[in-house]
């Protein structure tokens, strides 16, 4: 007598593989958990998917890290897609506008040593050769007695973008008449990470129908195939799902602890392993708000300085191999001294950093997003960016059933392994181009053994060719060629660019493009108001809805 189909293991496996992905469980809140929940829910709601649920489980006993206060311009699209009003976001999360990063004392260590990485693309970038004119013909040019003569005093970013001048003047990237999420100059945000997480939580629960469970996960249970079937909580029982997203932070409860997916350290490339963070009040309500993240190099690391609408977020990222915690705090206090009178009243918080990432980000029916996937360091604000693009890829390629999941997971792992490696390259670039020899930290960062071969290969190419998007294998890069140009040439890297290929933009045409940047700079400087002035108006009147 034959077995019934219901008892046939092959049929059971077939049913399991064809089971629709309808219940998504996110373990962990914070910005990673709620960005992921909001991105998925907004996408599925837009597609009018009704047979799905998103449940976020977070512990009341786990405090968020609370830093990561800088974003990339992608955050504007992320929030807009969730249906969030930019006015509400700015008002409730102590937001200010970020137009790039200013790197101080990274090249020589002198007081007047700085360069910019703006968020606006270089002028004439579509020609891939305006930078070559900057080198070969000693542009930019300014008009004197109706002739174009060289002006070598301006930096690369000043020549090819008006944004350095905007930032130096403390100006905002838009007007009060500019609609929400629209820009006059490209911008991202500085934000209060703690308030941002709560803001997202409220929106996801009230507007996007995300189920919220406040409870501790005490067990993770697999089915017979090895997939996670459910997580057991202390008070709410079992929470079942077909896809589990690990947003449990450094603990990496699902991917790291449960599945034992190995962690790949990059301490041999990126040396910093600790941060000392502090919240600093403004001197008064009229104190200027910086339009950029300020990153100031120290003896064994660097200090971030982020201006919010309500306060500054400041922190010292350092390597414990080269200086002690006491020395790191002393350097941070010395940095703060000129602008802070009550330093001893401030609270300094230590945050350990273990730079690296998981060897896999998606294993079976579990994918990690945020700190559970890895962390490098705060330089260039890549942490929240990785959360955004991870959540977006999961939403865009959400597998229809279990049979599709392994295909999507393989693609996800390949994509994000590549992205993490390229971010490591880009961060290392800031350290290894330094000319500083005042401490062993900076000397060791130039040692060839600490530089990834992929970065060495690109630098060999860029000795003779201007960085181009064609130098990368992915159509969409986390840091495009323009970002490399800003850092390379801001730090004094020289490209012996050939005159071949410069015909696309003739000398006179290039001069006109440089003049256009100067003209745009003048106009924007005259019409834009300060960061603080615009934020006051937004809080009073709000921005126009899109």
């Amino acid at each position: 007598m034959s077995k019934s189909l219901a008892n046939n293991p092959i049929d059971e496996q077939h049913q399991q593989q064809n089971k629709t992905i309808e219940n998504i469980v996110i373990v962990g809140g914070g910005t990673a958990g709620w960005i992921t929940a909001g991105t998925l829910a907004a996408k599925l709601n837009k597609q009018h998917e009704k047979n799905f649920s998103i449940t976020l489980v977070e512990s009341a006993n786990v405090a968020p890290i609370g830093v990561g206060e800088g974003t990339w311009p992608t955050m504007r699209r992320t929030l807009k897609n969730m249906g969030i009003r930019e006015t509400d976001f700015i008002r409730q999360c102590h937001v200010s506008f970020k137009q790039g990063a200013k790197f101080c004392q990274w090249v020589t260590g002198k007081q007047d040593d700085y360069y910019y990485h703006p968020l606006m693309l270089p002028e004439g970038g579509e020609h891939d050769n305006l930078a070559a004119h900057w080198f070969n013909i000693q542009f930019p040019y300014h008009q004197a007695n109706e002739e174009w003569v060289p002006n070598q005093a301006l930096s690369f970013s000043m020549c090819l973008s008006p944004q350095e001048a905007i930032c130096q003047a403390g100006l905002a990237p838009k007007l009060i008449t500019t609609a929400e999420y629209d820009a006059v100059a490209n911008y991202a945000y500085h934000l209060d990470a703690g308030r941002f997480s709560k803001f997202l939580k409220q929106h996801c629960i009230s507007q996007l129908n995300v189920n919220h469970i406040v409870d501790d996960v005490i067990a993770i249970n697999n089915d017979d195939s090895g997939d996670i079937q459910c997580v057991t909580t202390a008070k709410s029982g079992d929470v079942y799902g077909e896809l589990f997203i690990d947003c449990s932070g450094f603990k990496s409860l699902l991917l790291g602890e449960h599945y034992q997916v190995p962690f790949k350290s990059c301490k041999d490339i990126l040396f910093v392993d600790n941060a000392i963070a502090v919240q600093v009040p403004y001197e008064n309500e009229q104190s200027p708000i910086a339009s950029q993240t300020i990153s100031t190099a120290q003896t064994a690391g660097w200090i971030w300085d982020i201006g919010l609408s309500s306060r500054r977020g400041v922190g010292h990222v350092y390597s414990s191999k080269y200086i002690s915690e006491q020395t790191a705090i002393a350097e941070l206090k010395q940095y703060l001294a000129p602008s802070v009178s009550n330093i001893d009243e401030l609270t300094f918080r230590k945050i350990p950093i273990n730079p690296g990432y998981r060897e896999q980000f998606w294993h079976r029916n579990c994918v990690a997003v945020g700190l559970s996937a890895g962390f490098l360091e705060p330089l260039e604000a890549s942490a929240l960016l990785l959360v955004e693009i991870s959540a977006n890829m999961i939403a865009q390629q959400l597998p229809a059933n279990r049979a599709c999941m392994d295909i999507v997971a393989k693609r996800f792992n390949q994509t994000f392994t590549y992205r993490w490696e390229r971010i490591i390259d880009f961060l290392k670039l800031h350290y290894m181009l330094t000319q500083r020899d005042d401490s062993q930290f900076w000397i060791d960062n130039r040692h060839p053994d600490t530089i990834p071969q992929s970065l060495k290969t690109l630098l060999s190419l860029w000795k003779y060719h201007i960085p181009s998007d064609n130098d990368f294998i992915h159509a969409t890069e986390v840091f495009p060629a323009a970002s490399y140009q800003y850092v390379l040439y801001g730090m004094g890297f020289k490209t012996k660019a050939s005159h071949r290929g410069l015909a696309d933009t003739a000398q006179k045409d290039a001069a006109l493009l440089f003049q256009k940047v100067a003209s745009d700079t003048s106009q924007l400087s005259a019409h834009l108001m300060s960061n603080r002035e615009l934020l006051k108006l937004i809080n009073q009147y709000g921005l126009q809805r899109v």
Side-chain angles (χ1 to χ4, degrees):
M1 184 175 179
S2 62
K3 295 181 179 178
S4 68
L5 288 176
N7 295 326
N8 189 329
I10 296 176
D11 186 64
E12 290 179 2
Q13 183 179 3
H14 179 75
Q15 290 179 357
Q16 175 72 15
Q17 287 292 301
N18 285 280
K19 190 173 183 180
T20 304
I21 307 300
E22 296 179 341
N23 302 292
I24 301 168
V25 179
I26 300 171
V27 176
T31 51
W34 290 111
I35 285 175
T36 303
T39 300
L40 284 165
K43 174 70 173 176
L44 292 169
N45 285 330
K46 188 176 182 179
Q47 295 174 177
H48 304 291
E49 297 282 352
K50 295 182 179 179
N51 297 322
F52 78 92
S53 71
I54 298 174
T55 301
L56 188 146
V57 183
E58 66 175 334
S59 172
N61 300 314
V62 178
I65 298 297
V67 288
E69 297 181 324
T71 79
W72 270 83
T74 50
M75 187 61 75
R76 286 154 55 198
R77 181 177 64 246
T78 295
L79 298 177
K80 185 178 179 180
N81 288 343
M82 285 190 207
I84 291 172
R85 283 208 64 192
E86 188 177 33
T87 297
D88 296 337
F89 165 61
I90 290 172
R91 287 172 173 170
Q92 296 185 39
C93 300
H94 294 172
V95 171
S96 67
F97 297 108
K98 169 188 171 182
Q99 297 185 65
K102 180 180 182 180
F103 294 90
C104 303
Q105 299 168 32
W106 282 75
V107 182
T108 65
K110 296 179 180 179
Q111 290 298 313
D112 61 351
D113 162 25
Y114 74 87
Y115 73 94
Y116 271 85
H117 178 191
L119 295 182
M120 292 178 72
L121 293 173
E123 185 68 40
E126 67 274 12
H127 300 289
D128 282 335
N129 56 19
L130 199 57
H133 280 281
W134 186 73
F135 275 113
N136 281 321
I137 316 175
Q138 291 302 306
F139 275 28
Y141 280 56
H142 67 269
Q143 203 164 12
N145 299 323
E146 298 183 352
E147 293 184 1
W148 294 105
V149 296
N151 174 7
Q152 300 179 37
L154 298 181
S155 67
F156 177 81
S157 57
M158 185 75 84
C159 294
L160 276 75
S161 165
Q163 203 150 36
E164 176 177 331
I166 295 172
C167 289
Q168 283 289 89
L171 301 179
K174 61 194 297 180
L175 302 168
I176 190 61
T177 54
T178 312
E180 291 190 324
Y181 298 116
D182 286 350
V184 175
N186 195 22
Y187 68 89
Y189 306 107
H190 289 143
L191 53 84
D192 184 316
R195 283 180 171 264
F196 185 42
S197 177
K198 293 176 182 177
F199 174 79
L200 290 171
K201 178 193 299 185
Q202 181 181 12
H203 182 79
C204 288
I205 295 170
S206 64
Q207 302 299 317
L208 298 175
N209 300 317
V210 174
N211 304 314
H212 184 215
I213 297 175
V214 180
D215 209 339
D216 293 316
V217 173
I218 57 175
I220 302 161
N221 311 293
N222 289 355
D223 61 21
D224 292 339
S225 73
D227 282 358
I228 298 175
Q229 184 177 52
C230 66
V231 294
T232 302
T233 61
K235 299 176 182 177
S236 307
D238 295 335
V239 182
Y240 289 84
E242 291 83 47
L243 175 64
F244 289 80
I245 303 178
D246 188 349
C247 296
S248 61
F250 289 132
K251 189 176 180 63
S252 192
L253 185 63
L254 306 186
L255 195 71
E257 290 193 2
H258 178 67
Y259 276 128
Q260 295 290 302
V261 173
F263 181 84
K264 185 176 181 180
S265 173
C266 63
K267 281 184 179 180
D268 57 331
I269 302 170
L270 301 175
F271 301 162
V272 298
D273 58 3
N274 282 285
I276 306 293
V278 61
Q279 296 182 1
V280 180
Y282 286 112
E283 291 185 61
N284 56 65
E285 293 183 354
Q286 303 304 318
S287 296
I289 301 172
S291 296
Q292 70 283 340
T293 300
I294 303 170
S295 303
T296 305
Q298 303 297 303
T299 58
W302 58 280
I303 289 174
W304 79 75
D305 195 336
I306 288 176
L308 307 185
S309 61
S310 58
R311 60 167 174 82
R312 290 158 60 198
V314 185
H316 187 182
V317 184
Y318 67 96
S319 172
S320 61
K321 178 181 176 182
Y322 296 89
I323 59 172
S324 66
E325 179 180 345
Q326 291 73 23
T327 302
I329 293 174
E331 289 187 3
L332 180 55
K333 287 183 175 181
Q334 183 178 12
Y335 173 87
L336 292 171
S339 60
V340 180
S341 58
N342 59 338
I343 290 180
D344 292 334
E345 297 177 16
L346 301 178
T347 301
F348 295 85
R349 183 163 59 105
K350 183 179 179 180
I351 303 168
I353 296 173
N354 184 17
Y357 57 92
R358 298 287 163 185
E359 291 185 2
Q360 285 183 304
F361 308 102
W362 195 323
H363 179 70
R364 303 198 68 87
N365 68 332
C366 172
V367 56
V369 176
L371 299 178
S372 56
F375 183 72
L376 299 174
E377 62 158 289
L379 193 68
E380 293 286 9
S382 60
L384 285 179
L385 176 66
L386 280 165
V387 169
E388 289 182 83
I389 60 179
S390 297
N392 188 60
M393 186 169 180
I394 295 169
Q396 295 294 333
Q397 301 189 19
L398 188 67
N401 53 39
R402 184 62 182 84
C404 300
M405 190 177 291
D406 290 340
I407 299 170
V408 174
K410 181 178 180 181
R411 183 184 301 153
F412 188 94
N413 287 329
Q414 290 173 338
T415 298
F416 278 90
T417 297
Y418 175 84
R419 284 176 170 165
W420 281 83
E421 289 174 348
R422 295 295 73 74
I423 292 172
I424 291 170
D425 282 355
F426 189 64
L427 298 184
K428 183 64 176 181
L429 186 71
H430 296 65
Y431 290 98
M432 54 81 57
L433 289 179
T434 185
Q435 300 169 23
R436 293 183 60 156
D437 56 7
D438 54 305
S439 74
Q440 198 61 41
F441 173 83
W442 295 105
I443 294 170
D444 289 350
N445 261 295
R446 295 196 296 269
H447 196 285
D449 290 348
T450 72
I451 304 171
Q453 184 57 50
S454 52
L455 180 56
K456 290 179 183 177
T457 300
L458 287 172
L459 290 170
S460 296
L461 174 67
W462 292 337
K463 285 181 179 179
Y464 304 97
H465 295 269
I466 301 295
S468 163
D469 288 332
N470 294 324
D471 299 335
F472 305 97
I473 64 174
H474 280 230
T476 303
E477 290 285 331
V478 174
F479 295 106
S483 292
Y484 279 89
Q485 288 183 12
Y486 282 129
V487 175
L488 284 166
Y489 304 139
M491 296 193 73
F493 184 86
K494 297 294 189 293
T495 298
K496 299 176 183 177
S498 168
H499 286 271
R500 290 181 302 173
L502 294 183
D504 292 340
T505 305
Q507 178 173 327
K508 190 172 181 179
D509 292 338
L512 292 174
L513 286 173
F514 285 121
Q515 182 63 19
K516 180 181 183 300
V517 174
S519 177
D520 289 346
T521 300
S522 178
Q523 289 185 14
L524 290 173
S525 298
H527 290 93
L528 293 172
M529 61 183 65
S530 74
N531 240 346
R532 185 170 288 283
E533 288 174 320
L534 179 57
L535 291 169
K536 282 183 178 180
L537 290 176
I538 292 171
N539 278 289
Q540 186 174 0
Y541 301 110
L543 291 164
Q544 299 179 41
R545 290 179 180 268
V546 177

